[in-house]
Amino acid sequence: MESLPDVPRVVQLPDGTYTYTADHRPAAPPYGGPQVVHQHVHQAPPDRTVQRVALGTGVGAGAVAAGVYFGPLLVGVLTAMAANLALLALIAAACAWGVVTVVRSVGGEDGKRAADTVRRARRRR
């Protein structure tokens, strides 16, 4: 039984707080000089500022988890929508250019007179 370590005892101090007895404190590890720590950092940790602010204001963990999950999802959806709108705008511009080109090439004397009339009307203003 003597090979077992002594169990530290808890005593109550005169001020009412509890502490371990002084004779059972663990010994400090021997100092062997400075230690070299090899740390391999492959990726920066994610920025959790928004989550910390949200938790600090009393928002629950479920709301923070939803923000973590739906935040990137929302960015992806908005990016896809923007790409679709850009493609539609490109198609509309190409169609308008085609219509203008066809009307100019097909239009005969009537088209030229109409363009001259419009040009003169703009000069008068």
Side-chain angles (χ1 to χ4, degrees):
M1 284 280 206
E2 292 188 25
S3 63
L4 295 176
D6 291 334
V7 177
R9 293 185 326 159
V10 177
V11 294
Q12 186 175 11
L13 298 176
D15 64 352
T17 59
Y18 292 92
T19 185
Y20 290 108
T21 54
D23 56 347
H24 292 334
R25 287 188 189 151
Y31 179 71
Q35 296 180 353
V36 177
V37 177
H38 295 282
Q39 183 176 8
H40 300 281
V41 179
H42 297 286
Q43 181 179 356
D47 183 19
R48 303 211 183 272
T49 305
V50 175
Q51 289 87 343
R52 286 189 186 117
V53 169
L55 286 175
T57 58
V59 176
V64 173
V68 169
Y69 179 77
F70 289 114
L73 196 63
L74 179 65
V75 169
V77 168
L78 292 176
T79 303
M81 289 171 55
N84 287 339
L85 289 175
L87 182 64
L88 288 175
L90 180 67
I91 291 172
C95 289
W97 175 78
V99 167
V100 168
T101 303
V102 168
V103 168
R104 282 185 182 166
S105 64
V106 171
E109 288 296 321
D110 293 335
K112 291 179 183 176
R113 269 188 266 127
D116 288 338
T117 304
V118 171
R119 194 176 305 120
R120 278 191 234 121
R122 285 186 182 167
R123 285 185 199 160
R124 290 182 196 163
R125 287 185 188 179

